[in-house]
Amino acid sequence: MEIRHSVCALDCPDACSVLVHVEDGRAVKLRGNPAHPVTRGFLCGKVAQYLERQYSPERLLYPQKRTGAKGEGRFERISWDEALDTIARRLDETARAHGPESILPYSYAGTMGLLNGAGMDRRFFHRLGASRLDRTICSAAGAAALAATLGQRLGTEPEQFKHSKLIVAWGANIHGTNVHLWPFIVEARRNGAKLWVIDPLRTRTAALADRHLAIYPGSDLALALGLIHVILNEKLHDADYVARFTHGFDALADLARAYPPERVATLTGIDAPDVVQLARAYATTRPAVIRLNYGIQRGERGGAAIRAITALPALTGSWKEIGGGLQLSTSQAFELNRAALEMPELQQRSALGRPARIVNMTELGKALTELDSPCVHALVVYNSNPAAIAPHQNKVLRGMRRNDLFTVVLEQFQTDTADYADILLPSTTFLEHSDLYFAYGHYYLQLARPALTPPGEARSNVDVFRALAERMGFEDACFKDTEDGMMRALLGSGHRFLDGITLERLDREHSIRLSVSPVDTPFLPFAEGAFGTPSGKCEFGAETLEYVPPVESRLGDADLRRRFPIELISSKNDDSMNSTFGHRGSVDGQTSLLYLHTSDAGPRGIQTGDRVRVFNDRGSLMLRAEVNGGVRPGVARSPSVRWNKRAQDRRNVNVLTSDGLTDIGGGPVFYSCLVEVERCGD
Ligand SMILES: Nc1nc2c(c(=O)[nH]1)N[C@H]1C(S)=C(S)[C@@H](COP(=O)(O)OP(=O)(O)OC[C@H]3O[C@@H](n4cnc5c(=O)[nH]c(N)nc54)[C@H](O)[C@@H]3O)O[C@H]1N2
Ligand SMILES: Nc1nc2c(c(=O)[nH]1)N[C@H]1C(S)=C(S)[C@@H](COP(=O)(O)OP(=O)(O)OC[C@H]3O[C@@H](n4cnc5c(=O)[nH]c(N)nc54)[C@H](O)[C@@H]3O)O[C@H]1N2
Ligand code: SF4
Ligand SMILES: [Mo]
């Protein structure tokens, strides 16, 4: 038996180092690498079983063309030559007839690999002059908030959580979506640390916490202002840190004065004494760390909430302490030469001769049904499953059904999106191609080489876009680049965090800690200020932080609330990854549930196991009720997201979600969603 190194490519903060046990060319087991300081020898449940997916009879093996209606899923096998020729011809015709901006790429983080995620594809679409996609679907509001407040997406490294004495998991289901942080928290708690969870849902993490505050959805900004109120009132802040390294303190103090605990209690559903207790605990326990995740920025005012929460460690000076600070993302430490990979300058050589328009991926439905001058006439999807994961699904599917839309899909599985393809191409998995991996939950850069041979005729995204560039007659030398050449270009940024990291070293060591701090010393990004904002200070931005309840919430629009009295949160399912693994029966069971509180279920005559219709003005779908204490009154949960085609009514929870945008960053508002529920028999 041989052990080969790989890296889990799923969109997860943990970016695990994976050991592939291979016998006679076939993988028999995947294990977490014990030598990796964050992976620490284990994988999450979903990827421990990844070989089921890798060797599934449902893998796509050959290029195919559609023979049935769009969405029906009938296809026939064709050769790679026919597939590539058809795509090149149709894209060329579309660009000539309507201008290249009528072509829209659509991709997200199906793989976190840099080359297959944002490499040859970017070069190809830039050279073509296609519309540029603003990749907002996950973290845009949070990223904009960090940029405004800290100037950088940097945060506390996971290894330091073991030194914390108070851990606040704020909109963060650590045990479910970031499980490699958990052992550090276990270690901290063994040494007396307390874990507080702020989440409307009683998640796996909340159930394991010392305290769980079940906040009203979308009201975190009010809670953060309430904590600031108490901290300043009781003079628990670090006046020296505030004076030296922050900007806008007086305005923040003024604003917070209007948020006493009693008012905050009305706005958030958290009792006033709990607000006071959390504020005191947070400001006086040293060190205290906040694990903020992306859940709360998927609401109408999510950006402002992240800004206010991010102010807390600056107010208390917690950034100075090992095991203090806050983590939302670590991704900006990976100071790679992205421009050399993506080559935006190729846009000047396109038929447009200028940068193309930008289309927000959260508004895919609008882009396909309302956008003009020009309309979208061709859609190329890879690393994503928009038919299932994009909001306002009825609008998205109406667009995807258009017969005058030419659709190409690169996929490993016959997803809901694949069913709409004109040409469907089989893709490799992370175990089958080379790639370089950054992370958003730790500071290790990693390299993976192919551990297994691709099945059938599957090809990597890099390979497909390289071949398409050739068919389109793009002669620029960059379209002949090898994977190694692209990785060397990425590593060549000259940034000090990449000091000493070469491709050769990565090939030997597989995973290398960025030189964010000297060897064996913890990284404290803002201990001495050094914020990445134009002022160099932490920018509180109080002028943007007045709390207004989301329109779609219990304190929002009264008319909507009367018709749709339940706040629906369709957050992550513990045992899957967005729509990936949706082919598994067990996952389908979990993602077809609607958790309701007894006080909402009772008056509607709903019991566990009943079929229920969930609806609002955007759409309606059937789910199976689960009545228990996992949600508070007025809140429902549906673990997401299901493959539409597995449901009898062939749709999922995203028929209900809105394609509105967040306050900053243009992100989605999946979790600001009002619905009504009714019983529909057994
Ligand atoms: N098992 C599993 N792991 C995953 C994923 C998955 O689908 N499954 N997805 C991956 C992806 S794409 C991402 S982006 C990451 C990060 O994933 P996250 O965005 O952190 O995960 P979510 O479950 O969406 O949200 C985290 C928590 O926020 C809570 N929440 C929702 N609204 C509010 C609110 O208004 N206030 C507060 N305080 N909490 C709120 C939710 O109930 C949830 O428990 O996880 C990754 N890891
Ligand atoms: N209701 C609701 N909707 C949500 C969310 C939610 O919490 N609730 N979460 C949102 C968030 S945070 C995110 S990030 C998005 C995620 O949405 P997507 O980015 O669409 O993620 P997945 O559903 O995991 O689908 C990724 C697809 O990429 C494919 N893939 C993987 N690797 C490769 C590869 O190397 N090549 C090719 N060609 N394909 C590959 C996989 O087979 C899979 O079908 O969903 C969003 N939608
Ligand atoms: S999904 Fe996350 S936790 Fe699971 S193996 Fe991949 S990186 Fe690790
Ligand atoms: Mo995400």
Side-chain angles (χ1 to χ4, degrees), residues 166-435:
L166 174 73
I167 297 148
V168 182
W170 200 327
N173 177 14
I174 296 168
H175 207 284
T177 64
N178 177 205
V179 68
H180 288 82
L181 187 59
W182 191 254
F184 297 107
I185 294 175
V186 170
E187 211 174 319
R189 294 175 90 186
R190 219 180 285 132
N191 294 319
K194 297 283 183 251
L195 173 66
W196 287 59
V197 171
I198 305 170
D199 197 309
L201 309 179
R202 190 168 169 81
T203 59
R204 236 191 240 185
T205 313
L208 292 165
D210 297 291
R211 292 294 308 275
H212 172 210
L213 304 182
I215 191 169
Y216 293 159
S219 69
D220 303 81
L221 173 55
L223 177 60
L225 291 169
L227 298 181
I228 295 170
H229 176 101
V230 176
I231 290 170
L232 299 186
N233 224 15
E234 302 190 3
K235 303 213 168 11
L236 300 176
H237 62 293
D238 179 339
D240 176 62
Y241 189 94
V242 167
R244 286 163 66 202
F245 303 131
T246 73
H247 180 245
F249 175 76
D250 292 342
L252 183 66
D254 276 348
L255 176 66
R257 228 165 267 133
Y259 293 85
E262 299 68 32
R263 178 171 179 223
V264 170
T266 332
L267 296 173
T268 63
I270 297 174
D271 294 341
D274 286 338
V275 176
V276 176
Q277 201 195 343
L278 174 59
R280 288 184 185 150
Y282 175 69
T284 60
T285 310
R286 297 300 165 113
V289 69
I290 299 174
R291 178 53 163 124
L292 184 55
N293 215 327
Y294 286 102
I296 60 175
Q297 51 99 64
R298 291 192 193 103
E300 290 168 25
R301 294 277 285 150
I306 300 277
R307 283 204 76 173
I309 295 165
T310 306
L312 290 166
L315 284 176
T316 61
S318 167
W319 287 117
K320 295 187 300 197
E321 294 160 7
I322 297 168
L326 171 149
Q327 188 198 107
L328 174 60
S329 175
T330 60
S331 64
Q332 205 156 347
F334 296 81
E335 293 275 6
L336 297 152
N337 191 349
R338 295 275 197 139
L341 180 67
E342 302 181 11
M343 303 189 68
E345 69 275 16
L346 286 169
Q347 291 174 95
Q348 306 297 340
R349 308 225 323 99
S350 75
L352 282 175
R354 60 164 168 84
R357 72 176 172 193
I358 294 176
V359 173
N360 185 337
M361 73 187 299
T362 298
E363 299 181 309
L364 178 65
K366 278 191 195 140
L368 296 180
T369 58
E370 293 166 24
L371 195 63
D372 55 12
S373 32
C375 293
V376 175
H377 285 282
L379 178 70
V380 183
V381 183
Y382 52 103
N383 301 342
S384 186
N385 182 11
I389 64 86
H392 209 331
Q393 186 171 95
N394 285 331
K395 207 192 275 180
V396 171
L397 296 185
R398 206 177 330 126
M400 293 186 74
R401 261 194 304 271
R402 273 174 44 205
N403 271 323
D404 60 339
L405 178 73
F406 174 65
T407 302
V408 179
V409 178
L410 287 68
E411 247 305 345
Q412 300 159 346
F413 276 69
Q414 186 78 36
T415 60
D416 292 312
T417 305
D419 286 346
Y420 287 85
D422 291 280
I423 302 288
L424 176 56
L425 303 175
S427 302
T428 43
T429 67
F430 67 93
L431 295 169
E432 298 157 2
H433 53 238
S434 286
D435 220 321

Side-chain angles (χ1 to χ4, degrees), residues 11-13 46 108 138-139 170-173 176-178 198-201 203 215-220 293-298 440 569-579 637 640-641 671:
D11 184 358
C12 168
K46 51 200 175 289
Y108 201 64
C138 171
S139 59
W170 200 327
N173 177 14
T177 64
N178 177 205
I198 305 170
D199 197 309
L201 309 179
T203 59
I215 191 169
Y216 293 159
S219 69
D220 303 81
N293 215 327
Y294 286 102
I296 60 175
Q297 51 99 64
R298 291 192 193 103
Y440 57 97
I569 298 185
S570 54
S571 56
K572 311 300 180 196
N573 182 39
D574 290 341
D575 298 331
S576 50
M577 173 63 61
N578 304 310
S579 74
R637 168 193 203 180
S640 294
V641 288
Y671 306 161

